[in-house]
Amino acid sequence: MRIGVLALQGAFREHLDTLEAIGVQGVRVREPADLAGVSGLILPGGESTTMRQLIDRWGLHDPILDLADRGVPIYGTCAGMIVLATEIVGGEPPILPLLDVTVQRNAFGRQLDSFEAELDVPVLGSTPVHAVFIRAPIIDRTGPDVDVLARLDDGRIVAVRQRNVIATAFHPELAGETRFHRLVATMAAEHDDPGEGSGRRPHPTRRSLSARHDAAGGPAR
């Protein structure tokens, strides 16, 4: 199994190191050909505006949407959450609209306002997740198909999942936390080998994305 890490900009090396630590082969993704054969994809933190430009420049927009359409797990951290959101506060057009959420960039202030926190993430077990927040976004709204995975003590949402797409406002890879990457690897293994008979059932994300593509007359953008 190979999991790709978008390596255009940002903290992609730490994700590759985390994948190596859990025994999963990580692949640097810089162009569409690099997506061939990957069982999952991670969008790292960085600067979402720059990531938008580079995704378009290298022709990765539609191939990543197609990957998600096939049910391949996608995981975004920090800026990766902004990249995946269907709505960005301020009216900026979405980049890869795969998560039905409204996200606010730099919700905690400047880099000097970065902080760390212990989060309850029941899907990952009873041990709290140590989370690093650096110029982090926050989720203001979630759609009906979005599961909230974690909140801050004040109730603000910092981790979500919608079918095969996961996003966190924080950086587990900077805290030595491997459970989100293990979850993605588990999802990737299940996608690769869905079990007897499951191939006859359309993937739920495939249905929702196909409907959006048909309504828009092509891939959503």
Side-chain angles (χ1 to χ4, degrees):
M1 179 172 61
R2 302 160 70 241
I3 292 180
V5 179
L6 193 66
L8 301 178
Q9 185 259 350
F12 60 87
R13 293 178 184 84
E14 290 81 358
H15 284 286
L16 291 167
D17 291 343
T18 302
L19 290 172
E20 181 179 5
I22 65 173
V24 174
Q25 182 183 0
V27 179
R28 298 187 184 207
V29 173
R30 292 193 172 98
E31 56 186 38
D34 298 330
L35 293 171
V38 301
S39 301
L41 179 65
I42 295 173
L43 309 181
E47 210 293 309
S48 60
T49 301
T50 301
M51 291 173 72
R52 175 199 299 275
Q53 295 168 350
L54 293 174
I55 286 170
D56 285 342
R57 179 182 302 170
W58 292 101
L60 285 162
H61 183 274
D62 290 351
I64 293 176
L65 288 183
D66 291 341
L67 204 69
D69 194 8
R70 298 199 304 270
V72 172
I74 311 289
Y75 173 39
T77 60
C78 196
M81 172 185 278
I82 299 170
V83 170
L84 293 170
T86 57
E87 184 178 13
I88 304 170
V89 171
E92 180 181 341
I95 304 170
L96 299 171
L98 294 169
L99 272 176
D100 185 12
V101 300
T102 301
V103 66
Q104 178 184 346
R105 63 169 73 247
N106 296 336
F108 301 97
R110 300 173 301 168
Q111 188 154 342
L112 290 175
D113 299 309
S114 301
F115 66 98
E116 301 181 19
E118 302 295 320
L119 302 176
D120 291 327
V121 187
V123 72
L124 299 183
S126 58
T127 303
V129 167
H130 187 70
V132 177
F133 292 82
I134 303 173
R135 296 181 62 196
I138 204 75
I139 290 178
D140 290 341
R141 176 200 63 86
T142 60
D145 295 327
V146 176
D147 297 322
V148 176
L149 301 183
R151 298 176 183 265
L152 293 173
D153 290 341
D154 61 11
R156 287 185 288 180
I157 300 169
V158 292
V160 293
R161 174 177 176 177
Q162 184 174 0
R163 302 184 181 97
N164 59 314
V165 182
I166 299 174
T168 59
F170 51 88
H171 296 268
E173 77 284 359
L174 298 182
E177 170 61 60
T178 64
R179 282 173 289 171
F180 275 100
H181 294 73
R182 292 180 187 275
L183 174 60
V184 172
T186 298
M187 293 167 61
E190 291 173 350
H191 176 266
D192 284 349
D193 186 13
E196 184 177 353
S198 63
R200 295 193 294 269
R201 298 193 299 271
H203 191 280
T205 300
R206 184 177 305 165
R207 292 199 301 272
S208 65
L209 283 175
S210 296
R212 185 168 72 241
H213 291 186
D214 292 344
R221 197 168 182 118

